């Protein structure tokens, strides 16, 4: 993947994280927050990839959270730090529903965002959870 496209996707993941995190913190519908962000000029633009991530996480959130609950050993989804929970949701969506993103890329991107935005323990936690899901991703994709 060209470096420019990879950087654009990294920014898109960060924008999707911002929208999903804000909507959860405020108790707002993520799709309403997304629509507002796309209509306004007072925030950075929302790329099509960022919008697709938000829409995909919303559409598949029940299944994503079920997988997180099954594979986040010792953690409930509700107890996870909000940034970690949101990054995991984006990562699982990319692993299972975005065919053009390789599994290691989805995991690495989530881990790098956690390193920049969350706790010292978050990168290892995200890597472990997403790694366990990636190990069975082929099976999960076949049953979606």
């Amino acid at each position: 993947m060209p470096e420019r496209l990879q950087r654009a996707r990294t920014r898109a993941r960060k924008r999707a994280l911002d929208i999903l995190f804000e909507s959860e913190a405020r108790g707002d519908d993520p799709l309403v927050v997304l629509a507002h962000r796309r209509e306004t000029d007072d925030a950075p633009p929302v790329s099509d990839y960022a919008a697709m991530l938000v829409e995909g996480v919303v559409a598949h959130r029940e299944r994503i959270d079920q997988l997180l609950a099954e594979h986040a050993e010792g953690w409930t989804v509700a107890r996870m730090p909000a940034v970690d929970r949101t990054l995991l949701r984006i990562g699982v969506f990319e692993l299972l529903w975005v065919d053009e993103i390789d599994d290691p890329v989805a995991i690495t991107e989530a881990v790098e965002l956690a390193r920049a935005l969350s706790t010292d323990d978050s990168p290892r936690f995200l890597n472990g959870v997403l790694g366990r899901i990636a190990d069975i991703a082929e099976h999960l994709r076949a049953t979606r």
Side-chain angles (χ1 to χ4, degrees):
M1 176 183 312
E3 189 175 329
R4 196 176 97 255
L5 178 57
Q6 188 170 341
R7 281 196 314 269
R9 291 233 169 118
T10 298
R11 283 191 305 275
R13 289 178 186 94
K14 172 72 171 68
R15 294 293 292 139
L17 168 68
D18 292 345
I19 291 166
L20 291 165
F21 181 86
E22 175 186 330
S23 64
E24 184 175 314
R26 293 184 175 182
D28 294 338
D29 181 330
L31 299 179
V32 172
V33 175
L34 172 63
H36 176 72
R37 291 276 183 95
R38 291 198 101 177
E39 293 166 358
T40 186
D41 291 334
D42 63 351
V46 178
S47 69
D48 290 343
Y49 193 77
M52 185 270 298
L53 291 174
V54 171
E55 292 163 353
V57 167
V58 170
H60 300 286
R61 183 165 155 200
E62 188 175 316
R63 180 67 175 131
I64 291 169
D65 283 0
Q66 177 186 29
L67 289 166
L68 292 177
E70 291 170 8
H71 297 281
E73 297 165 356
W75 286 87
T76 63
V77 175
R79 272 192 54 233
M80 292 175 189
V83 170
D84 295 0
R85 178 175 50 244
T86 304
L87 286 171
L88 283 166
R89 286 174 174 158
I90 293 168
V92 171
F93 175 71
E94 282 192 306
L95 283 172
L96 300 182
W97 286 279
V98 183
D99 294 333
E100 69 264 17
I101 300 296
D102 292 334
D103 292 357
V105 172
I107 294 169
T108 299
E109 288 285 326
V111 168
E112 289 303 315
L113 282 168
R115 185 169 284 119
L117 302 169
S118 198
T119 69
D120 290 344
D121 295 330
S122 296
R124 190 177 69 240
F125 174 64
L126 265 73
N127 191 56
V129 174
L130 292 174
R132 286 190 286 280
I133 293 171
D135 286 345
I136 59 169
E138 264 327 299
H139 170 73
L140 293 171
R141 285 185 204 109
T143 61
R144 62 180 180 203

